[in-house]
Each structure stands twice: as structure tokens, then as C-alpha cells.
Amino acid sequence: MTRAALPAGISVRALQGAALEAALDDVARLRIAVFRDWPYLYDGSLDYERQYLATYRDSPGALLVGAFFGDVLVGASTSTPMEDHAGEFAAPFAGRGVALERILYGAESVLLPEYRGKGIGHRFLDLREDHARALGRTHVAFCSVMRPEDHPLRPAAYRSNDAFWRGRGYAPLPGVVAEFAWKDIGEAGETVKPLQFWMRAI
């Protein structure tokens, strides 16, 4: 399949090993900025991020797909073998018929707002799926936070990514929901949130 050209000045590259590790602080800053918005409302810190992102540093099968404007990281998509990621994300797959060793977990895709709608999201998924195949994986999965429709901070004009994900062949897995805690903006401490898993066979 021919991949659409990206706008001038933007490049998307797959990083592993030392190149991945060198970019992790920039990924941390992106996660803090992008996930502060709805629906994640994440009140993050660099200390927390460095602990969380150590998963990618320590997993030989980890991949960071970086979107760059010139030399500046403006977007990132991370993934690891499912069995290498946090237990909270692997546990919901118990008894679901797909072994963890067959799944690549797409942990997050973050992109600054001014770079959205330019084909970068498709490139993120293309390279993530290429990586899954190279590792001999048969499925790619990710999850997204579930928020109440009547949440007071929900923007009136919010549009989810569901249509984009479905267009790429992903579908929500009924009953496969992870629970993970983080601190929301304006809250005193961490609270547990449900995250719906989506998956596709590749």
C-alpha cells in the first residue's frame, strides 16, 4: 500500500535502542502536554514520566515512532510486547483466547494539536503494525480512557478517535477493560480510571 506523503518539514521515524532512550525526556514532555487535555486530564510530572517510560528503555522489543518538525519531536507513538508492559494492561486479556506473546501493545500516541490531520496518525499505526509483524506478533492492541458522557470537563465540540480507529480495522473488545490510576487536573491525588481495549489482527 502506498503511504501518503507528509507535509514539508515533517518526518516520522522508528526509533529503538539508544535512539529511543535518548528521546524519552522529550516524549515525557509531550505526554504531559497532550494528555492534559480531554479526555485524559492528566496532571503529570517529569519524575512520574521517567518512571513510567522506563518500560520502553528496558524492553528489547520496544518501539518509539517519533514525528519531527525539523529536529523537534512534535509527536510520538510507543509500543512494547504486551508481556513487557504494566500488569494492569495485560490482566484483562486473561482467558480471552489470544496469548500475550501474540500481541503488540500500542501504549500511546501523542501529537501536538497543530500537527493533527496531516497523515501522521496513519504513519504511527503503519510503523507500529510493521513492528508487530517483524516481532512475529499477530495482533495489535491499545486502550483509551472511558469518561462519563456528563463529565463536567467534557468539551461540547469533542470528537473521539473512534471513527479513525475503526477505519484502520480496530474494534473495541467487549469486556476487556484495564484499570489504571493517575492524577487528574484539579484533584488531590490519583484515582483509578477504566480504559477500553481495542484490537485488530494483522
Side-chain angles (χ1 to χ4, degrees), residues 16-40:
Q16 291 183 269
L20 180 156
E21 184 172 358
L24 287 181
D25 272 3
D26 288 336
V27 174
R29 285 185 278 271
L30 272 177
R31 278 175 40 90
I32 291 169
V34 173
F35 283 151
R36 190 171 181 84
D37 291 339
W38 180 267
Y40 286 89

Side-chain angles (χ1 to χ4, degrees), residues 3-188:
R3 294 173 178 174
L6 296 171
I10 295 175
S11 62
V12 176
R13 304 194 293 273
L15 307 177
Q16 291 183 269
L20 180 156
E21 184 172 358
L24 287 181
D25 272 3
D26 288 336
V27 174
R29 285 185 278 271
L30 272 177
R31 278 175 40 90
I32 291 169
V34 173
F35 283 151
R36 190 171 181 84
D37 291 339
W38 180 267
Y40 286 89
L41 304 175
Y42 169 54
D43 188 6
S45 70
L46 276 176
D47 285 344
Y48 176 92
E49 286 295 307
R50 284 170 176 150
Q51 292 179 33
Y52 170 81
L53 292 170
T55 297
Y56 308 110
R57 182 197 65 210
D58 298 339
S59 171
L63 177 73
L64 166 62
V65 180
F68 296 86
F69 184 72
D71 293 328
V72 178
L73 189 73
V74 299
S77 178
T78 58
S79 53
T80 64
M82 178 63 87
E83 66 273 18
D84 288 355
H85 210 72
E88 294 93 333
F89 295 103
F93 283 88
R96 297 288 175 171
V98 181
L100 296 183
E101 292 78 13
R102 293 171 58 194
I103 303 170
L104 182 76
Y105 175 58
E108 59 255 315
S109 290
V110 289
L111 185 61
L112 293 176
E114 59 267 36
Y115 295 95
R116 295 172 191 168
K118 302 180 184 298
I120 295 171
H122 282 288
R123 195 64 61 87
F124 281 170
L125 288 181
D126 289 341
L127 292 176
R128 178 183 284 174
E129 291 164 8
D130 288 350
H131 184 61
R133 294 184 187 97
L135 292 178
R137 305 275 153 157
T138 58
H139 293 73
V140 175
F142 62 85
C143 55
S144 62
V145 67
M146 303 163 70
R147 293 284 192 180
E149 291 290 329
D150 61 352
H151 193 290
L153 296 182
R154 182 186 180 91
Y158 173 69
R159 186 176 65 181
S160 76
N161 289 320
D162 291 12
F164 170 67
W165 295 330
R166 289 182 188 278
R168 290 288 309 218
Y170 291 85
L173 297 171
V176 183
V177 176
E179 292 187 336
F180 201 71
W182 64 84
K183 183 177 178 293
D184 275 6
I185 296 167
E187 291 189 349

